[in-house]
Amino acid sequence: MASPIPQLKQFLYSHYFLGGLRQSIGVLLPVIILGRFFGHYDIGVIASMGATCVAIIDQPGGPRRYRNNEMLGGIALGTLTVALTGLASSEPLLLVLCVPLLCFLYSMFSVFGRRGGLIGFAALLLMTLTMRFPMQPQEVLAHTLYSFFGGLSYYLFSTLFRRLLWYREERQTLAVALFATAQYMEARAQFYDPGSDLDDCYRRLINLQSDMTDKHQAARDMVLRELPRGHGRGDYHRRALLTIFLNMVSILDSLVATYTDYTVLRRQVADSDFMVFARDGLHKLSLDIGRIAMNVSRSSSTRRRASVKAEIRAMEYELEHYRRQGMPEKDPETYALLVQVLRRLRNLNRIVDHMAGQTHRASQNLPVDQYLNKSLSRFLSREDVRLGMLTSNLKLKSSHFRYAARVSIASMIALGVGSLSSHFEAQLGLVSALTAHSYWIILTILVIMKPGFATTRQRNGWRLFGTVLGCAAAFVLFKLTDNREIYLAAMLLAYLLGNSLVQLNFMLSALFNTIFVILSFQFLSTGGSFIIGERLVDTLIGCAIAMAASYLLPSWEANAMTSLARAALAANQEFWRTGLEFARLSRLHNQGVKERQDSAPAQTDAQRDQLDLELMEADTAWQVANKNVHIAFSNFASAFYRMMDEPVSRQRNVSLLNNLLIQNHVLASQISAAVPLLANLTEVPPGIAQSLQAIGALIQDQDAEPPASIETEGDLAMLAYPIRQMSKAAQLIRQDMRGLEYEAGPQLPTEHKSAAGQSTA
């Protein structure tokens, strides 16, 4: 971790812990009130199950009104699910029909994205907890009502909790994104260490960038949906958060604004002190961002920072030394790289200085109207919910359909295993066998099984190990005491940690959730350590079924890699197009400013206003395209590394995809570097213009030949390097994409396959 802040301290001040605290109190409140004060622990646990369904849906992200609607929808679906499962629980045939059908239906909710998947999982969890014992029809109504009021009580509690701590979640979500930025910066610093392996550095950087992109998007959704209004309570805090967020985005843009050829640097200046100072400077800045993140999360000011002035001065001295030795003439590309690294460190230091100041006193000069523009809605993540999305995926080719079918088949197997237990325990009837064992097996399956094979296998191991440890801890607790007050306190602590750690450490989350569930059922029926043994055996069976079912109608990551590579290229194409348009309008704007200064304006006031509007729109479009490039690259990289965790026989085009991953990263980075330089030109020289046209044609899969030489006089020398890198990346991307399309075969139109075949021939 880049920051010296201990990870435990980060966790306690994170929105993960705050969310876990909110969910834990909201879920266990019925148990505490009904059990502690009225002695009805059984009713309290049932109500808590209904609250659990809503708590799973109550996750950060998305507009507040959408989250409220999602929770209310979860209450409705959960109540219906409890009623159906309760009525079927006493009839074996109905249970065998109802459970797989509900598993298929709610697993299909994954077509609606992450939020839809949470709603489906919450309903399935409630189904599983409801089928733990057979109920008579008269019991079903009471059970359903208890569950409904439990869900409603959580909704009301969560709404009140958010009103009381109305800005805490925003701060802590932003702090998590800042910590991820600090980690990313620390990973970039390792590239300047000649002793580190470049391939290992790149793998770590890409993984961190993927994780950082998700956390930046969560912060973006949170901050941009709670913009300063220019008046009212909390406007000061919103200004501070918005300014810090914009500074964080500027840091990311500065870090990825150009692709530095570290191979060239290590070959030419590996033993230079310049590399050491660059590494140390980035390391210090990453520490500062970690401190700022901690202070943002706890509403404190940052008064002490580590200075990088010494590193910057030393790098300036080294650069001057190289200039005197004639490096600009002998090796202009390496010299340009060194200048670029120095400028980037200066810029980062300035941004971090400004960010630290915002934690002490928020800027009051922030142009609020600019950020109230409706165009900002394009920066926010959206997940459409349409019935057509569900019906259009009811086909075998759909990965969502295949996943839902796997879950449904696994649930049927789990029910069959439960019925077989009646042959080994004569005292159990068929209904009791189905409910006494199957619900825990199905619960294990639902928690473990995910659409991707690699994720399922990974969670299988974590879940199994966490459950074993949780059962052992519960066994020790039962042996030490039978005090229900202690059990209740342990339930609260276990549920708090289980909810808080679910996104950070699945194994520890499984450990604490196992303790929570075992203690919950201890209030409903006394089984002691025998129940623990049953749960452990059922978990082993559930893990085995989940792993075996993963091979049924599997959705291997390799099948999606071609479409993800296309999406990454399409995002770069849009980034390129919007960047060139922004640069063109910027040149027109700068030209108009110069003409006004020379008292020879060629534009009317109306034309200038129109140009300003177009420039603002182009700037927004380019920034949105930049965000989309990061998201597309993150999706591509995540899927690639998941594929690498799958069986070797299921991995395809590894070298092609790895090269596409790198070259798309190079292309996006150099576009970020080149567009501001193009925007500041008076006019684009012919050689550079031809190169830009060739790059645009190449990424559109058209024949083009970049010119052999381009203008490098004066300030154009800084533009020459990114243009050459973009030309090389565009050529390699075109070549690799054609190879990938050829391998994709029947998925492509005939003309694409023939073109791909000609290129490889």
Side-chain angles (χ1 to χ4, degrees):
M1 177 64 198
S3 172
I5 309 297
Q7 289 193 4
L8 177 60
K9 192 173 183 180
Q10 289 183 40
F11 169 69
L12 293 176
Y13 281 100
S14 70
H15 71 285
Y16 300 116
F17 184 76
L18 181 69
L21 181 65
R22 181 184 67 247
Q23 293 168 352
S24 300
I25 296 176
V27 167
L28 294 181
L29 204 57
V31 178
I32 295 171
I33 295 175
L34 295 174
R36 177 67 180 80
F37 297 105
F38 299 98
H40 296 297
Y41 283 101
D42 53 347
I43 297 177
V45 169
I46 295 171
S48 291
M49 291 176 183
T52 301
C53 174
V54 188
I56 290 172
I57 302 169
D58 185 22
Q59 301 291 337
R64 194 169 296 173
R65 65 181 183 278
Y66 289 178
R67 198 185 312 172
N68 289 339
N69 292 339
E70 289 164 358
M71 287 193 287
L72 290 173
I75 293 173
L77 282 177
T79 303
L80 179 63
T81 302
V82 169
L84 290 174
T85 309
L87 290 172
S89 64
S90 59
E91 295 292 335
L93 182 60
L94 285 178
L95 195 65
V96 170
L97 292 175
C98 178
V99 170
L101 183 62
L102 289 177
C103 284
F104 180 84
L105 175 63
Y106 289 134
S107 295
M108 283 294 296
F109 276 33
S110 62
V111 302
F112 300 126
R114 176 177 173 270
R115 311 290 300 187
L118 286 175
I119 295 174
F121 175 75
L124 286 176
L125 180 63
L126 200 50
M127 174 203 75
T128 309
L129 297 176
T130 303
M131 59 176 285
R132 71 189 184 280
F133 60 81
M135 287 185 281
Q136 297 303 314
Q138 61 271 21
E139 296 176 302
V140 174
L141 177 61
H143 192 98
T144 303
L145 288 175
Y146 297 151
S147 178
F148 168 76
F149 285 114
L152 189 62
S153 69
Y154 179 88
Y155 172 79
L156 296 174
F157 170 80
S158 178
T159 302
L160 177 62
F161 190 95
R162 292 178 188 280
R163 285 190 175 276
L164 294 176
L165 299 176
W166 57 272
Y167 72 93
R168 178 66 62 182
E169 187 177 23
E170 285 84 350
R171 279 188 168 274
Q172 294 182 341
T173 304
L174 179 58
V176 168
L178 285 168
F179 278 123
T181 306
Q183 283 185 299
Y184 180 78
M185 184 179 288
E186 173 65 17
R188 292 290 291 246
Q190 296 307 309
F191 282 91
Y192 296 99
D193 184 356
S196 62
D197 182 81
L198 272 181
D199 290 338
D200 290 341
C201 288
Y202 276 118
R203 278 192 290 270
R204 181 168 183 261
L205 186 76
I206 289 174
N207 279 319
L208 287 174
Q209 183 171 338
S210 177
D211 179 64
M212 180 181 64
T213 299
D214 293 339
K215 291 173 179 175
H216 274 222
Q217 186 60 46
R220 183 179 290 109
D221 289 340
M222 192 69 71
V223 173
L224 294 187
R225 283 182 172 121
E226 298 294 338
L227 289 168
R229 303 181 178 91
H231 59 84
R233 184 172 73 100
D235 201 63
Y236 171 84
H237 297 286
R238 292 191 177 97
R239 284 178 180 271
L241 293 185
L242 177 57
T243 308
I244 293 171
F245 170 77
L246 295 174
N247 285 329
M248 181 182 71
V249 173
S250 297
I251 288 172
L252 178 60
D253 289 342
S254 182
L255 286 171
V256 301
T258 182
Y259 178 86
T260 303
D261 195 333
Y262 298 102
T263 304
V264 171
L265 285 181
R266 292 188 178 196
R267 184 172 62 245
Q268 300 295 341
V269 292
D271 299 328
S272 169
D273 289 342
F274 187 94
M275 298 281 281
V276 177
F277 295 133
R279 181 199 63 194
D280 292 347
L282 280 176
H283 175 69
K284 284 185 177 181
L285 289 175
S286 71
L287 297 180
D288 281 336
I289 294 175
R291 294 189 190 101
I292 292 170
M294 178 54 64
N295 289 327
V296 166
S297 67
R298 60 186 182 185
S299 303
S300 301
S301 60
T302 304
R303 300 183 180 274
R304 185 177 61 84
R305 282 195 55 225
S307 174
V308 296
K309 290 181 180 179
E311 283 76 12
I312 292 175
R313 295 286 175 82
M315 291 168 69
E316 290 172 346
Y317 175 81
E318 289 290 320
L319 199 60
E320 177 64 19
H321 177 67
Y322 286 130
R323 188 188 66 79
R324 290 177 179 175
Q325 288 182 336
M327 181 182 279
E329 294 77 24
K330 297 176 183 177
D331 192 356
E333 286 199 6
T334 303
Y335 186 78
L337 280 175
L338 297 177
V339 172
Q340 176 193 103
V341 171
L342 176 59
R343 288 181 176 177
R344 184 164 53 201
L345 191 63
R346 284 176 181 159
N347 189 42
L348 288 171
N349 185 51
R350 177 184 56 80
I351 297 171
V352 174
D353 268 335
H354 186 261
M355 183 189 292
Q358 295 305 306
T359 63
H360 178 62
R361 181 179 296 276
S363 173
Q364 298 302 308
N365 299 321
L366 191 67
V368 175
D369 293 340
Q370 175 183 349
Y371 298 103
L372 296 179
N373 192 313
K374 291 182 179 180
S375 62
L376 276 181
S377 62
R378 287 181 286 176
F379 288 93
L380 305 175
S381 60
R382 297 188 178 278
E383 292 178 350
D384 293 332
V385 177
R386 291 176 286 104
L387 182 61
M389 297 173 65
L390 193 64
T391 56
S392 64
N393 278 276
L394 293 175
K395 51 189 177 184
L396 195 58
K397 290 183 178 180
S398 169
S399 60
H400 302 289
F401 179 88
R402 295 160 79 93
Y403 165 62
R406 287 197 301 274
V407 175
S408 184
I409 292 170
S411 68
M412 286 190 285
I413 296 173
L415 290 171
V417 170
S419 66
L420 286 175
S421 66
S422 62
H423 295 286
F424 300 98
E425 298 180 53
Q427 68 272 24
L428 291 177
L430 178 60
V431 175
S432 298
L434 281 172
T435 55
H437 294 272
S438 299
Y439 81 91
W440 191 274
I441 299 174
I442 293 176
L443 176 63
T444 302
I445 291 169
L446 293 176
V447 170
I448 290 174
M449 287 195 71
K450 295 298 171 186
F453 176 88
T455 307
T456 298
R457 184 172 66 177
Q458 187 182 59
R459 291 170 75 95
N460 201 319
W462 289 342
R463 166 74 176 180
L464 183 58
F465 193 50
T467 300
V468 171
L469 293 178
C471 288
F475 178 80
V476 171
L477 181 62
F478 287 160
K479 290 299 181 183
L480 291 176
T481 181
D482 58 359
N483 189 314
R484 288 200 164 195
E485 301 288 342
I486 295 178
Y487 290 171
L488 187 61
M491 274 180 61
L492 179 60
L493 180 61
Y495 195 64
L496 168 61
L497 294 175
N499 282 331
S500 303
L501 291 167
V502 68
Q503 297 183 55
L504 296 175
N505 191 312
F506 186 76
M507 188 199 73
L508 289 178
S509 176
L511 185 157
F512 290 114
N513 282 329
T514 299
I515 295 173
F516 166 73
V517 174
I518 290 175
L519 289 175
S520 298
F521 288 118
Q522 188 68 9
F523 285 106
L524 294 177
S525 59
T526 57
S529 57
F530 180 72
I531 288 182
I532 297 176
E534 281 190 326
R535 298 302 168 256
L536 183 57
V537 172
D538 292 343
T539 298
L540 291 171
I541 296 172
C543 288
I545 293 174
M547 203 63 233
S550 298
Y551 290 93
L552 299 174
L553 301 174
S555 297
W556 303 109
E557 295 293 343
N559 297 331
M561 293 309 301
T562 300
S563 61
L564 289 171
R566 291 180 192 141
L569 177 57
N572 263 324
Q573 290 169 348
E574 180 65 10
F575 191 36
W576 171 259
R577 186 193 66 79
T578 55
L580 289 186
E581 178 64 10
F582 169 71
R584 183 186 70 83
L585 292 173
S586 295
R587 289 194 297 271
L588 290 176
H589 179 269
N590 295 338
Q591 183 181 354
V593 171
K594 187 176 184 303
E595 288 172 351
R596 289 197 297 273
Q597 291 174 347
D598 295 340
S599 301
Q603 299 173 331
T604 64
D605 291 342
Q607 289 174 327
R608 285 197 298 271
D609 292 342
Q610 180 63 29
L611 179 60
D612 289 342
L613 288 174
E614 291 178 358
L615 179 59
M616 183 180 297
E617 176 63 24
D619 185 22
T620 301
W622 188 51
Q623 296 299 330
V624 171
N626 187 16
K627 180 207 75 168
N628 292 335
V629 161
H630 288 303
I631 293 174
F633 179 80
S634 173
N635 293 337
F636 186 19
S638 298
F640 176 77
Y641 286 112
R642 286 197 302 269
M643 183 187 74
M644 297 305 294
D645 287 334
E646 293 178 346
V648 176
S649 60
R650 298 298 178 176
Q651 299 172 14
R652 298 201 301 266
N653 306 314
V654 173
S655 59
L656 271 178
L657 292 167
N658 184 61
N659 196 47
L660 277 170
L661 198 64
I662 294 172
Q663 297 306 324
N664 272 286
H665 185 263
V666 172
L667 182 60
S669 298
Q670 299 300 354
I671 292 173
S672 297
V675 167
L677 297 174
L678 289 169
N680 290 327
L681 294 179
T682 305
E683 60 178 329
V684 181
I688 291 179
Q690 291 176 20
S691 293
L692 296 178
Q693 291 175 358
I695 294 167
L698 287 169
I699 62 177
Q700 293 290 342
D701 195 19
Q702 300 172 6
D703 292 329
E705 187 66 35
S709 62
I710 58 176
E711 295 81 1
T712 59
E713 298 81 11
D715 293 338
L716 295 178
M718 293 302 298
L719 187 56
Y721 178 78
I723 286 181
R724 290 195 185 100
Q725 292 294 315
M726 282 190 292
S727 298
K728 188 187 302 181
Q731 290 172 327
L732 292 173
I733 287 173
R734 187 191 188 209
Q735 175 184 328
D736 291 338
M737 281 301 298
R738 286 194 163 196
L740 197 62
E741 300 284 17
Y742 179 78
E743 292 288 337
Q747 300 176 3
L748 300 172
T750 307
E751 62 270 22
H752 281 227
K753 288 188 286 180
S754 61
Q758 292 169 8
S759 70
T760 52

